[in-house]
Amino acid sequence: MKTVKWTETWALAWRGLTRRPVRTFLTALGITVAVASMVVFLSLGEGIRKVFTSELGGIGPDIQVSLTPLSQGLALQPNLPQSTVRDLQKQSAELGLESLTPVVMAVRGGLDPAQSVILYGLPAAGGIGAVFPNTALARGRLLVAGDEGQGAAVLGAKAAQNLGLELGKRLNLNRRSSVRVVGVLAPQSGLVDNFIFLPLETLQRAEGAEGRVSLVAVKLTDPREARTVARQISERLNLEAATQSDFLSFIDRALKISDAVRFGISLIALIVGGLAVANTVMMGVFERTREFGTLRAIGARPGFVRTLVLTESLLLSLVGGVGGLLLGLLGIWAVNLYTQQLAGIDAAALTPRLTLLALGISLLLGLLSGLLPARSASRLSIVDALGRV
C-alpha cells in the first residue's frame, strides 16, 4: 500500500466521524460545553487580573501603611491609631513623604451585589484628590473643609447608579447616621466608581472608630523609591507598609489559587468529555472492524490504522475545543455585560494564553481518549476482522 499523506488521513478520519453524525455531534457538544465552562471560569481570573493591573497602577497611594498584612486581606478594619500620622510626619523629610492621608474604609453590602459599596473616609480638607488625583466631578461639588464631621458624601458614578441616588438624596450609613449626597463623580475606573467618599470624622463616628483609621495613604516625592521607603517605615514604626506592586503581587497570588480551584472544577467536566470521546471512537472501531480488516488486507500497516483512529479522536476533540472557545466567548460576553452594569468593569477576559490552554487541553484530551481505541484497532487480526459479519 502506498504512503498515505496526512491530508488524506484527516479526510478519512472526518469521513469516519460523519458516518454517525448524531453521535459525533453529541460527543462534540459535550466537549464544547466542558471547554466552554473551563474558558469562562478561568477568564474570570484573567479579567480581574487585567482590571487590577491596568487600573490600580494609575490610582491610589504609593504606599499604604496599616496594621493588617496583605496576607490577611485588605485593611478594612479601623484598628490603626490615628496618631500614626504624626509619627510618619516626623519621618517625612528624611523619607521623602510628600503627603499623608488617614483613611477609614468600610463595606456596605446585601444580598443584591448591586447594593454593595465601599465607604471611603478621608479628611475633607484634603479632598478626594489627595489619594485619587484623577477623579473628575460630574454633578454637584467635592468635599470641602467645612464638611468635616458633617453628613456629606460624594458618590462614584456606579455607586450612584446602583443605589439610585442623586444630588440632595440621603444615604443611611446605619440606624443612627445618614449623609446627604453633595456630589457625583464622572466615570473613571471600575474601582473608584463604586466608592462612596465621606469626611473622615463622619465615617469614624458612624463606625464607632474615633481616633482610629484603617490605613494611612502615603504619596512620595519620588514614587520610584516606594519599596525602599516602605521597608524603612516597617522597620522604624513596626507597621505594615505595602506598595502598589506588593498589592498587585498579592492579588496575582490570590488569583492563581482561585484559578487552580476553578480549573479543578472544570477538570471534572473535561474528564467526562474525554470518556465520551473514548466511547464514541471505541464504538466506531467495533462498527468498522471489517473496514479495518480490509485496510490491513490490502497492505495497511498497524501503525496506519492506529494513526487513523487517533486522528479521529483528535479531530473530534479539536472541533469540540473550537466550539468551546466560541461558546466561551459568548459566556464571557454575558459575564461582562453583567459586571459592566454592576461595577463598570470587564470581569472576564479571553487572553492568548487562555486560548492556547483551551486548545491544548482539547487536543491532549483527544490524544489520551484515543489511545485505547487506537491500540485495539491496530491489533485486530485480519482473518478475524474479515470473518465478522
Side-chain angles (χ1 to χ4, degrees), residues 69-332:
L70 280 177
S71 59
Q72 297 180 17
L74 297 177
L76 296 178
Q77 184 68 26
N79 54 8
L80 181 68
Q82 195 166 341
S83 59
T84 303
V85 177
R86 293 194 300 271
D87 297 335
L88 288 169
Q89 286 173 339
K90 297 175 183 178
Q91 310 283 334
S92 291
E94 184 179 354
L95 298 180
L97 311 184
E98 182 178 303
S99 66
L100 303 168
T101 306
V103 173
V104 173
M105 297 179 68
V107 176
R108 289 290 184 273
L111 296 178
D112 184 1
Q115 302 299 308
S116 299
V117 293
I118 296 177
L119 305 180
Y120 200 98
L122 73 176
I128 300 170
V131 181
F132 303 101
N134 297 325
T135 52
L137 191 65
R139 301 185 295 279
R141 63 174 178 83
L142 296 174
L143 296 176
V144 297
D147 291 325
E148 194 61 67
Q150 305 302 311
V154 175
L155 276 60
K158 273 296 174 183
Q161 176 184 321
N162 291 340
L163 298 177
L165 294 174
E166 291 292 340
L167 295 179
K169 295 289 186 67
R170 300 200 70 84
L171 169 67
N172 292 323
L173 301 180
N174 52 46
R175 295 178 66 89
R176 297 176 298 173
S177 303
S178 65
V179 293
R180 184 172 61 87
V181 179
V182 299
V184 177
L185 298 177
Q188 179 194 349
S189 73
L191 299 176
V192 177
D193 286 352
N194 291 280
F195 285 4
I196 294 179
F197 295 95
L198 304 164
L200 180 66
E201 293 181 8
T202 302
L203 187 53
Q204 282 177 321
R205 187 167 58 247
E207 294 294 306
E210 289 85 351
R212 290 175 285 126
V213 296
S214 300
L215 58 93
V216 178
V218 179
K219 286 285 188 180
L220 300 178
T221 304
D222 185 1
R224 293 173 298 180
E225 297 294 323
R227 190 171 295 279
T228 301
V229 174
R231 184 175 63 252
Q232 292 176 331
I233 290 174
S234 297
E235 293 172 353
R236 296 182 184 188
L237 301 181
N238 193 27
L239 294 170
E240 297 290 336
T243 65
Q244 286 187 347
S245 61
D246 292 332
F247 185 74
L248 288 174
S249 296
F250 167 74
I251 292 295
D252 188 58
R253 289 195 301 272
L255 288 175
K256 285 180 179 177
I257 296 173
S258 178
D259 287 343
V261 173
R262 288 194 297 271
F263 181 74
I265 296 173
S266 303
L267 192 59
I268 298 174
L270 290 170
I271 291 174
V272 173
L275 293 175
V277 172
N279 180 67
T280 297
V281 177
M282 183 64 81
M283 290 181 67
V285 169
F286 287 140
E287 292 171 352
R288 295 157 60 198
T289 299
R290 290 180 61 84
E291 176 186 333
F292 291 139
T294 302
L295 288 173
R296 291 291 310 282
I298 62 176
R301 295 180 178 274
F304 170 74
V305 176
R306 183 167 53 247
T307 300
L308 179 61
V309 175
L310 277 176
T311 302
E312 290 184 8
S313 180
L314 287 171
L315 186 57
L316 187 57
S317 296
L318 182 61
V319 171
V322 173
L325 283 173
L326 296 177
L327 185 59
L329 275 174
L330 181 62
I332 290 172

Side-chain angles (χ1 to χ4, degrees), residues 47-69:
I48 294 172
R49 189 177 285 110
K50 288 180 65 176
V51 167
F52 277 99
T53 301
S54 62
E55 297 189 357
L56 194 66
I59 63 173
D62 298 317
I63 298 175
Q64 292 187 107
V65 179
S66 66
L67 284 178
T68 306

